[in-house]
Amino acid sequence: MTLVWHGDVKTGGRRNILAERPDILLTTPESLESMLVSTKVDHRAFFAGLRTVVVDEVHAFAGDDRGWHLLAVLERLTHLVGRPLQRVGLSATVGNPDQLLTWLQGSGKASRPARVVAPDLPAGVAKSEIELDYVGSLENAAKIIAGLHAGEKRLVFCEARQTVEELGEMLRRRVITTFLSHASLSADERRRSEEAFAEARDCVIVSTSTLELGIDVGDLDRVIQIDAPATVASFLQRLGRTGRRTGSVRNCLLLAVSGGALVEAAALLKLWGSGWVEPVTPVPEPRHIVAQQMMALCLQEGRAGDRSWQQWWNGLTPFDQAAEPIVKHLAREGYLDDDGGMYFIGPEAERRFGRRHFMTMTAVFLGAPEFTVLAGRNELGKVDPALLVEETKGPRRLLLSGRSWQVTYIDWKRRRCFVEPVDSGGRARWTSWGLAGNGYELARAMRDVLLGEDPPVSMTRRAVDQLAVQREESSSQVHPGGNVILRDEVGDLRWWTWAGFRANATLTATLSEVTDPGHRFNDQYIRLRENLTPAAWRELTADAETRLCLPEVNRKALEGLKFSEALPERLAEATLAARLADLDGAGRILRQPTRFVSVG
């Protein structure tokens, strides 16, 4: 018997699972945590027969805090049942499977055998039909999608929820049967869209990455991508949605709505064509997850010995003796009570995380605050509160589920707003949390494209012509002989590294004597002081690689690091700084030649 337990499963369904334990339980790390800390679950009895844990799409966990949370929960389960658990990770898109396997082994990597199983692909599976087009606007993208592939099922991926909403509305105006899926739609809305799409034929579903992994939406004919996905791994997942029928091939049409997006898409396809996929590496310094796990353990067991709590993680770093300073801080600040050699949940943890039976303790990501939108009793989804407070002329209208809604009442205390349908005029927006920007490899591939390299895919005449325009406009910012420090027409001095956001953040901090005081940088360049001379540059950078330092962290950024308030502020800042840095990429840039040039 196979059953499902996750955040959308109602109380009655969970009660049935507890009454009759299934042979296989499909769940999430967050739901596992909630079972362990819940007073309504006898976790020792429920997990007594557990033998194997299968982690589907394991690469999607390993590269962020959910991976550390998953490993820590698996170690607690192992300790709870008193025997090693077989761990199986599934992934079709990972560049470093051996390292990922070692990561998944957790504390057992030194004592338990493990191997990577990579079956040979059937003949013909690797064949793909990929085309890159430049369309110039989202409206033009909607026009092309509406005019192509009539009678077929099309899955369109966008990189932002706002884009999903806007494109969905545009397609519906063109009388295209359209469904939507993204994380801010209610579970019922997403389910209705996905079920309707799976059963229909001539239709489109527009989605963020919510449909990239796992969810079955039926037999697809086409995948269409608006601009470039964030990673090669994401592109492979999306491409793999097609070509599953006998005699069909994998296919993807990429539509770039701007010149910059076209260059980025071409760079990503260049990396894909070379066989490169991002290596999955655990994020460094998960000190806030250590704090969360210690509080969760006290909830789970009621108490934890001040000399024995490390046993629950079986020696897994950083949940071992290295966590001692964090645990002592939790006790000093009242997150834990220390009584007679035992730790208990303290009043500060109750105050900050105790709402709804400590449900906020089970998830390690901090979502942006959102208001629930209701049409009558039907929950549509959630919106950014900025849409409800910003100045507007006339009625306040929202765009959600691809339709426009007029706000009729806002319940500020309960963070709810009530709406009724209108024909048009709605707006969508959501706050994005997390670090922005491309990585080193993609940024350097963009430089290669601007220097003349083409991706190994079909390109429309529009794409070829627009790439030529982008290369001409960027000709002073790239050079085959190395990187460029460019003084433009107005005197601004910019170092065009094409190194990615994190490497440029590291270089900006390391070379603070000559970088702009405003610390202005992006994926592609770093702004330097206007009075910098070539001689001063050579002297300063001669030993820079030996003194690379972590980027500075804005204290406001700590608001996006859940449980950071349970850490000493200096440790919370150090955690973010380590995650913002790319020491390897910065070092590689410093080893490359740099030339000063001027325009105008």
Side-chain angles (χ1 to χ4, degrees):
M1 179 172 58
T2 301
L3 295 176
V4 176
W5 184 318
H6 53 66
D8 295 331
V9 175
K10 305 301 182 185
T11 301
R14 298 180 183 188
R15 194 177 294 120
N16 293 337
I17 293 172
L18 294 175
E20 186 176 2
R21 286 180 294 174
D23 302 301
I24 299 173
L25 182 66
L26 303 179
T27 188
T28 64
E30 293 78 12
S31 292
L32 278 177
E33 183 80 272
S34 71
M35 284 183 255
L36 287 172
V37 304
S38 174
T39 57
K40 298 179 181 179
V41 179
D42 184 345
H43 46 265
R44 278 182 166 76
F46 185 75
F47 291 109
L50 182 62
R51 292 290 188 275
T52 301
V53 176
V54 179
V55 184
D56 193 17
E57 309 292 1
V58 63
H59 63 275
F61 291 97
D64 58 38
D65 280 332
R66 288 190 78 203
W68 283 114
H69 181 236
L70 172 64
L71 283 189
V73 169
L74 291 183
E75 295 296 342
R76 280 162 53 204
L77 281 173
T78 299
H79 184 82
L80 185 71
V81 301
R83 62 177 171 273
L85 299 174
Q86 182 184 25
R87 304 182 186 188
V88 179
L90 307 179
S91 177
T93 52
V94 59
N96 55 335
D98 291 311
Q99 291 87 344
L100 190 58
L101 176 65
T102 300
W103 171 85
L104 183 61
Q105 287 181 272
S107 65
K109 57 180 172 285
S111 59
R112 300 193 67 198
R115 66 190 179 106
V116 174
V117 179
D120 294 331
L121 293 176
V125 168
K127 184 178 180 183
S128 304
E129 292 179 357
I130 299 170
E131 186 172 45
L132 177 60
D133 193 7
Y134 169 73
V135 295
S137 70
L138 194 60
E139 190 69 56
N140 286 342
K143 180 180 179 180
I144 288 174
I145 294 168
L148 289 176
H149 315 306
E152 297 184 338
K153 293 177 69 170
R154 291 146 281 172
L155 171 54
V156 181
F157 283 106
C158 303
E159 296 309 294
R161 291 167 286 180
Q162 179 175 338
T163 310
V164 168
E165 290 288 347
E166 293 171 351
L167 181 60
E169 184 188 44
M170 293 172 185
L171 290 170
R172 284 176 175 159
R173 286 205 312 263
R174 295 178 180 274
V175 200
I176 301 297
T177 302
T178 305
F179 308 99
L180 274 65
S181 178
H182 61 74
S184 288
L185 291 175
S186 70
D188 288 340
E189 282 289 308
R190 293 198 307 272
R191 189 180 303 111
R192 281 193 288 269
S193 284
E194 290 154 11
E195 289 175 353
F197 179 75
E199 296 171 0
R201 279 306 311 163
D202 185 3
C203 60
V204 173
I205 188 166
V206 188
S207 174
T208 55
S209 59
T210 57
L211 291 185
E212 182 177 299
L213 304 175
I215 299 172
D216 183 12
V217 290
D219 194 15
L220 279 176
D221 295 301
R222 304 280 173 180
V223 162
I224 299 171
Q225 170 72 45
I226 304 300
D227 292 339
T231 63
V232 175
S234 286
F235 175 68
L236 285 170
Q237 289 282 353
R238 299 171 187 191
L239 180 63
R241 285 299 205 173
T242 60
R244 297 184 178 185
R245 289 197 309 266
T246 302
S248 64
V249 297
R250 298 184 302 180
N251 66 83
C252 183
L253 171 63
L254 290 93
L255 303 177
V257 301
S258 69
L262 176 67
V263 173
E264 186 173 341
L268 183 132
L269 291 172
K270 172 186 175 294
L271 292 173
W272 165 79
S274 70
W276 183 86
V277 182
E278 295 83 4
V280 180
T281 56
V283 288
E285 313 292 354
R287 300 180 180 94
H288 55 306
I289 308 301
V290 171
Q292 179 267 341
Q293 282 292 290
M294 189 61 194
M295 290 185 284
L297 175 64
C298 289
L299 282 175
Q300 171 188 317
E301 296 299 303
R303 59 183 182 177
D306 61 5
R307 296 184 182 277
S308 61
W309 56 263
Q310 301 99 323
Q311 297 172 8
W312 278 91
W313 291 280
N314 309 306
L316 177 68
T317 303
F319 306 94
D320 54 5
Q321 195 64 36
E324 189 72 41
I326 296 173
V327 174
K328 288 183 177 178
H329 174 80
L330 292 172
R332 282 196 305 270
E333 298 299 317
Y335 291 93
L336 299 178
D337 269 343
D338 185 1
D339 183 18
M342 304 299 293
Y343 288 124
F344 305 84
I345 278 291
E348 190 65 14
E350 292 266 8
R351 184 178 73 84
R352 289 184 179 269
F353 309 118
R355 294 179 297 278
R356 293 185 60 204
H357 309 291
F358 286 94
M359 286 302 295
T360 58
M361 186 77 75
T362 64
V364 297
F365 279 126
L366 188 64
E370 295 179 334
F371 272 63
T372 300
V373 180
L374 298 126
R377 295 183 177 180
N378 180 35
E379 181 183 338
L380 301 175
K382 299 180 184 295
V383 296
D384 193 307
L387 287 172
L388 305 178
V389 298
E390 65 185 9
E391 186 175 347
T392 183
K393 294 181 180 179
R396 189 175 301 278
R397 294 183 174 181
L398 310 176
L399 181 61
L400 192 61
S401 196
R403 296 179 174 87
S404 289
W405 309 86
Q406 186 162 307
V407 176
T408 58
Y409 176 72
I410 302 175
D411 183 344
W412 296 104
K413 184 176 180 180
R414 298 184 179 181
R415 303 184 70 85
R416 301 187 303 176
C417 74
F418 295 83
V419 298
E420 59 185 22
V422 290
D423 291 336
S424 61
R427 296 178 58 241
R429 189 173 75 193
W430 283 271
T431 301
S432 177
W433 289 60
L435 299 176
N438 293 321
Y440 180 89
E441 289 80 6
L442 183 55
R444 298 300 288 181
M446 291 174 66
R447 173 181 177 272
D448 293 340
V449 168
L450 292 174
L451 284 170
E453 292 193 33
D454 287 332
V457 301
S458 173
M459 289 194 291
T460 65
R461 173 50 57 186
R462 289 189 297 254
V464 171
D465 291 346
Q466 181 58 213
L467 263 186
V469 171
Q470 294 298 312
R471 286 163 175 163
E472 176 62 28
E473 292 179 350
S474 303
S475 59
S476 60
Q477 301 162 5
V478 293
H479 192 283
N483 302 312
V484 171
I485 293 179
L486 174 68
R487 191 178 301 278
D488 61 23
E489 297 93 334
V490 297
D492 286 345
L493 196 63
R494 297 181 182 183
W495 181 21
W496 290 88
T497 64
W498 299 93
F501 188 85
R502 293 168 57 240
N504 279 350
T506 305
L507 290 167
T508 298
T510 301
L511 302 174
S512 59
E513 301 95 327
V514 293
T515 54
D516 184 270
H519 285 188
R520 280 181 275 181
F521 64 89
N522 60 20
D523 300 355
Q524 302 158 14
Y525 69 81
I526 300 170
R527 185 163 175 171
L528 305 175
R529 296 178 185 267
E530 296 179 3
N531 61 353
L532 178 66
T533 65
W537 173 258
R538 288 191 296 271
E539 181 180 354
L540 181 67
T541 57
D543 66 340
E545 190 178 355
T546 65
R547 53 184 178 85
L548 289 172
C549 59
L550 299 180
E552 295 181 15
V553 173
N554 187 322
R555 290 187 177 182
K556 189 170 179 58
L558 295 179
E559 296 175 6
L561 189 70
K562 193 171 182 182
F563 306 111
S564 64
E565 62 265 53
L567 294 175
E569 187 171 294
R570 61 180 180 79
L571 291 184
E573 291 179 356
T575 295
L576 278 185
R579 293 168 176 215
L580 186 58
D582 178 3
L583 300 175
D584 179 67
R588 290 161 74 179
I589 291 298
L590 289 170
R591 291 192 294 273
Q592 297 168 9
T594 297
R595 63 186 64 217
F596 277 70
V597 299
S598 298
V599 297

